Amino acid sequence: MSAELDVKAQSILRGNDRGGYTVPTAGLYPYQWNWDSAFAAWGFSTFDIDRAWEEVETLFSGQWPNGMVPHILFHKDDPGYFPGPNVWGAEHKGPIPSSGISQPAVAATMIRKIWERDRAAGETRLLELLPKMKAWHKWYMDWRTVDGAVVVTHPWEAGRDNCADWDSAMAMIDPQGVGDYTRRDTGHVDPSMRPTKADYDRYIWLVQRGKRLDWDDAAMAEDRPFAVADPTLTFILLRANRDLAHMAEAMGEDRSEIDGWSKALEGGAETLRNPDSGIFDAINLRSGEHTGHVTSASFLCWYARLDDPRMREELAESFASCRYPIPSLELSSPDFDGMRYWRGPTWAIMNAMIAMGLTDMGYADEAAKLREVTGDLIAEHGFAEYFHPDTGQPAGGGTFTWTAAVWLAWASPNAEGA
Ligand code: GLC
């Protein structure tokens, strides 16, 4: 059974391959997405290491001169997707038409995993990528940190598009003048599984603002209408810096600047601890308030190699709360919606990163349990984009690249594990 699923997962990656890069799923997401590609590369590395390197190389081929690696690369125009390149208006900013924001910096961590599978095969390719990864992480440190925590300036930047952590900040935006537009996502997927129209108006309004400011970092940083200090970006970048420093040192390069970034982010991560609950959550920087939501991103602390007894208690609660943890929003929240994207469903990639952290911190039992439930979830319900945390009902897009990739690299009983 699991061998058959391995074959199926490989065929999903091959099927979503568009020549040098994979799309997350045909139709709904027809371009190259940043962190999706990092996971895809991890998946490819289990059966085609050359293709794994190619995936991340194509991703970095879209890097802007300022170091930013865009969240979407529009290699070939596709009218089935909105907002496309002309809405972003960033075609002239980098070598490939792209969006104007970034996404979680998972790539360095996945590149380390690929390289460690076969160091000899990867050495030259790693040497080429090192300065590119460093420039990207520096861009994050220069333009997206406040008190050491990484700030989301558009909900899509954290990869958790409509999560409850953005609600208070989104409510402070008046999307006046956004104008008419036609969404394409709801033509591919049931609207009840997607963000609302109120959310979309604000997403597009923020894109229009970026375009007006020509995506200039300094101009964009003034009077940010949306700014949320976020556990996803902070923990993931901290982990990525640790992996990058390790690889740089192994290649005989100086790691001290990168270690300095990690120190700053460690301080920033501490600011994300909610003083009332002791849980890591987000901060709406325009109001200064913690959001108070326990999300799957809260549990990325171990991935960043930060130990935390309070979060382990919370993890035990999350495990007990549903059949297929970790929900993207805790089930006891009044905002929980088990089928709506980042407001409740379980996402296999988040589980993979959480388990990776648990393993690294020596919590083998919890890591094994998370792997087992995620494996069951995929085996029973398919390679969907995300799943209801209690029923396992598959939702969003099907034949999804990153779900197939984490199956191959981690959740499959035949995988090496995280
Ligand atoms: C959605 C997800 C985002 C992902 C993209 C492509 O926008 O929220 O995290 O990168 O789809 O899969």
Side-chain angles (χ1 to χ4, degrees):
M1 168 74 173
S2 58
E4 263 168 51
L5 287 172
D6 292 352
V7 172
K8 168 101 178 109
Q10 290 188 8
S11 76
I12 289 176
L13 291 189
R14 294 280 191 221
N16 288 337
D17 188 346
R18 295 291 177 275
Y21 69 95
T22 47
V23 296
T25 189
L28 183 62
Y29 301 119
Y31 299 111
Q32 183 175 22
W33 261 258
N34 187 322
W35 68 331
D36 298 67
S37 258
F39 288 107
W42 190 31
F44 272 123
S45 74
T46 62
F47 64 102
D48 186 345
I49 199 119
D50 178 59
R51 183 62 189 77
W53 283 105
E54 194 184 15
E55 183 80 23
V56 282
E57 285 162 354
T58 309
L59 176 64
F60 278 91
S61 73
Q63 184 167 38
W64 288 12
N66 66 355
M68 200 270 277
V69 181
H71 107 286
I72 307 175
L73 296 178
F74 301 112
H75 292 283
K76 278 183 266 176
D77 206 3
D78 188 317
Y81 182 82
F82 176 85
N86 58 333
V87 182
W88 289 90
E91 291 99 329
H92 57 293
K93 302 293 289 189
I96 295 170
S98 71
S99 68
I101 56 171
S102 199
Q103 252 192 341
V106 177
T109 299
M110 296 306 157
I111 287 171
R112 177 173 174 183
K113 289 198 171 291
I114 300 165
W115 168 64
E116 285 178 344
R117 261 183 204 279
D118 185 345
R119 289 179 196 238
E123 194 172 302
T124 326
R125 302 177 95 159
L126 176 61
L127 275 170
E128 282 275 313
L129 284 168
L130 276 177
K132 300 180 184 178
M133 289 187 266
K134 197 170 168 193
W136 183 26
H137 294 193
K138 182 175 187 326
W139 171 86
Y140 257 123
M141 298 307 297
D142 287 348
W143 296 110
R144 289 289 193 279
T145 52
V146 172
D147 295 335
V150 186
V151 175
V152 187
T153 63
H154 187 296
W156 291 340
E157 203 156 45
R160 299 188 296 146
D161 305 19
N162 66 337
C163 76
D165 278 331
W166 320 142
D167 288 357
S168 69
M170 287 286 264
M172 292 170 84
I173 295 178
D174 174 8
Q176 262 210 23
V178 68
D180 291 337
Y181 58 89
T182 306
R183 284 173 69 166
R184 300 289 176 193
D185 58 322
T186 44
H188 297 285
V189 169
D190 184 334
S192 67
M193 297 178 185
R194 299 288 305 174
T196 61
K197 158 110 172 88
D199 281 333
Y200 244 82
D201 281 352
R202 287 164 178 78
Y203 300 152
I204 301 307
W205 186 87
L206 285 167
V207 170
Q208 291 168 348
R209 171 180 181 266
K211 181 178 180 180
R212 210 165 43 244
L213 297 175
D214 197 29
W215 303 105
D216 178 78
D217 289 316
M220 298 277 299
E222 275 175 40
D223 299 325
R224 285 175 173 143
F226 180 92
V228 182
D230 166 54
T232 342
L233 288 179
T234 305
F235 289 140
I236 288 176
L237 185 62
L238 176 48
R239 166 65 184 248
N241 278 331
R242 299 195 198 287
D243 289 323
L244 181 60
H246 173 88
M247 292 187 283
E249 186 175 34
M251 292 292 135
E253 294 179 13
D254 179 40
R255 59 180 285 164
S256 54
E257 187 180 11
I258 308 168
D259 285 338
W261 298 338
S262 299
K263 266 249 127 347
L265 291 168
E266 280 171 16
E270 208 35 59
T271 69
L272 298 178
R273 191 189 296 280
N274 185 309
D276 298 327
S277 62
I279 303 290
F280 290 113
D281 62 15
I283 307 170
N284 174 0
L285 293 175
R286 286 191 66 202
S287 67
E289 280 159 351
H290 278 264
T291 60
H293 296 295
V294 182
T295 68
S296 43
S298 304
F299 299 103
L300 290 173
C301 52
W302 301 287
Y303 180 80
R305 304 219 181 92
L306 301 175
D307 203 0
D308 197 286
R310 177 71 191 87
M311 287 306 301
R312 280 189 75 212
E313 286 170 22
E314 195 63 30
L315 182 66
E317 278 184 36
S318 185
F319 271 127
S321 72
C322 55
R323 163 89 178 87
Y324 302 107
I326 305 291
S328 46
L329 181 62
E330 62 180 336
L331 276 79
S332 58
S333 165
D335 299 312
F336 172 82
D337 183 343
M339 293 297 277
R340 201 183 282 276
Y341 221 33
W342 290 94
R343 302 183 76 86
T346 292
W347 294 69
I349 47 140
M350 296 300 278
N351 284 5
M353 287 189 287
I354 294 166
M356 211 181 274
L358 289 166
T359 303
D360 290 349
M361 299 305 281
Y363 301 128
D365 289 351
E366 282 107 322
K369 195 167 162 192
L370 195 50
R371 179 176 174 190
E372 197 183 316
V373 290
T374 312
D376 290 349
L377 178 62
I378 297 172
E380 291 159 17
H381 300 281
F383 294 95
E385 185 178 6
Y386 47 93
F387 306 85
H388 191 288
D390 235 347
T391 65
Q393 189 180 331
T399 55
F400 221 83
T401 291
W402 65 16
T403 309
V406 303
W407 170 268
L408 288 169
W410 168 66
S412 164
N414 310 317
E416 261 175 34

